[in-house]
Amino acid sequence: MNLKLQRLPKNDQLQAWDAADTLLLEHIAEKSFNQVLLVNDTFGALACSLTAKSADIELTSWSDSWLAHKASEKNLAANQLNANWQALPSTEVPTTPFDAVLIQLPKTTALLEQQLHALRPALTDHTVIVAAGMAKHIHRSTIELFEKIIGPSPTSLAKKKARLIFPTVDKSLTPPTNKSSKTWSDHGLRLNNLANVFSREKFDIGARFFIDQFSALPPADNIIDLGCGNGVLSICAAQHFPEANILGVDESYMAVASATENYQQNIGDDRARFTTSNCLSDIHDAAADLILCNPPFHQQHAVGDTIAWQMLRESHRQLQSGGELWVVGNRQLHYHSKLRRLFGGSRMVASNNKFVVLAARKR
Ligand SMILES: C[S@@+](CC[C@H](N)C(=O)[O-])C[C@H]1O[C@@H](n2cnc3c(N)ncnc32)[C@H](O)[C@@H]1O
């Protein structure tokens, strides 16, 4: 790709596009479109390439990732591409009739299911639909999902380990019920989870172990739930500290929407607010004296600790003096050594054979 593309968070070890992007772009190279919906364009590789080819093209980027939208904006600007580009959060539904819908397959089947159901009404007989993914992630069940919700979906051969799917709309088809959202009850909580929310089907065992330690939390007035997911840590913190203000942040639009709804259903007061952010880099006025964090260990399909590092670093910056970061993690992730570098040390609050809960105080 003849473009300067960077991931967000910046990671020079990993490319900001994959062979599926390249194969999709090769496939449509000879075609020209006016209005295109880009679904899950992770770092803006599709937006940048299409704008570089035709400056007049109108692009809507529909994604659950706030980071994906920010990365697309940054990459368009870095390549001096004055794009006709707009971001559409996953919690809204695309309505414009598009002449092409280009889909990067998402990591979870549940998100794909939700997206195909939401897309179907905006598709016409003339919409060109192309989905791209790495062959190892395209299963028989992936193709069946397209066939059940959209219509016949032939596929390409694999090239450089990527493959394309070419769904066509069958207007006579009655799609099955959309089962992508899940509600579960546990620990006296009832939590609704939109399709792409972490621990959508059941209580995460790390989060459960973390919550079991909440009786040992230090008193706090302003609490941040960093990477809030469905809001479970915020809700339990609100039960422990009936006077505290709570700010939950997540880069997933669906997580922020689920956390907002779950807080209202389970607590129902106005002490908490939930917002999209890249870790804490967009938060400036929180005056936090306690940060709770169950960090992610992957971004899309890439496993790594870049985001966890960023969360710990920005927690240190954000905390008031004397404030504490409480973090839960798999034992082998060795967060204690990161906390030693950032905070000068940490104490172990609890551990079992899988997880450890650590607390680090800002001096
Ligand atoms: C392991 S989950 C924890 C969710 C919830 N707190 C719990 O304990 O069940 C990590 C969360 O971090 C979010 N996340 C990932 N990258 C992020 C980023 N750069 N900024 C903010 N949140 C992020 C994910 O969307 C996910 O909801």
Side-chain angles (χ1 to χ4, degrees), residues 141-184:
S141 57
T142 319
I143 296 158
E144 278 169 8
L145 200 60
F146 279 96
E147 288 177 335
K148 280 190 214 148
I149 303 173
I150 306 292
S153 299
T155 60
S156 73
L157 294 174
K159 187 173 169 193
K160 293 200 177 143
K161 300 188 180 165
R163 232 172 127 192
L164 301 177
I165 308 175
F166 309 109
T168 51
V169 190
D170 175 357
K171 283 286 173 196
S172 67
L173 180 148
T174 308
T177 317
N178 180 357
K179 293 190 178 146
S180 59
S181 296
K182 293 266 186 251
T183 301
W184 50 258

Side-chain angles (χ1 to χ4, degrees), residues 189-304:
L189 308 169
R190 187 174 160 78
L191 297 175
N192 189 32
N193 301 275
L194 291 173
N196 202 35
V197 175
F198 174 82
S199 73
R200 181 184 72 105
E201 306 223 23
K202 59 179 182 342
F203 211 159
D204 173 53
I205 47 173
R208 180 198 288 269
F209 183 62
F210 197 14
I211 282 162
D212 288 343
Q213 319 309 323
F214 273 20
S215 55
L217 285 171
D221 296 323
N222 293 301
I223 302 172
I224 294 180
D225 176 359
L226 177 50
C228 64
N230 58 20
V232 66
L233 304 183
S234 294
I235 293 166
C236 293
Q239 290 170 336
H240 274 271
F241 299 110
E243 304 292 320
N245 297 313
I246 295 167
L247 172 64
V249 303
D250 205 289
E251 76 95 23
S252 153
Y253 295 106
M254 289 188 179
V256 169
S258 297
T260 305
E261 180 195 337
N262 290 331
Y263 189 88
Q264 275 320 310
Q265 296 298 327
N266 288 274
I267 304 288
D269 60 27
D270 58 4
R271 291 182 291 135
R273 130 181 117 83
F274 298 91
T275 186
T276 43
S277 168
N278 176 13
C279 301
L280 296 173
S281 50
D282 308 283
I283 308 297
H284 304 290
D285 54 354
D289 46 14
L290 178 62
I291 297 182
L292 305 170
C293 187
N294 178 6
F297 37 88
H298 52 70
Q299 185 177 22
Q300 310 303 337
H301 290 288
V303 177

Side-chain angles (χ1 to χ4, degrees), residues 12-82:
D12 294 331
Q13 315 297 316
L14 296 172
Q15 255 181 199
W17 72 93
D18 65 11
D21 288 309
T22 311
L23 188 60
L24 197 161
L25 290 165
E26 277 171 16
H27 176 78
I28 58 165
E30 303 302 317
K31 301 186 168 63
S32 84
F33 301 117
N34 298 317
Q35 288 196 307
V36 177
L37 180 70
L38 303 174
V39 185
N40 313 317
D41 185 14
T42 318
F43 301 105
L46 298 177
C48 290
S49 302
L50 293 175
T51 308
K53 196 174 121 189
S54 153
D56 297 333
I57 196 164
E58 286 178 34
L59 301 172
T60 301
S61 171
W62 190 42
S63 172
D64 185 45
S65 169
W66 187 84
L67 269 179
H69 284 154
K70 289 291 153 198
S72 300
E73 271 173 18
K74 279 185 179 235
N75 282 324
L76 284 164
N79 289 282
Q80 283 97 41
L81 293 166
N82 195 0

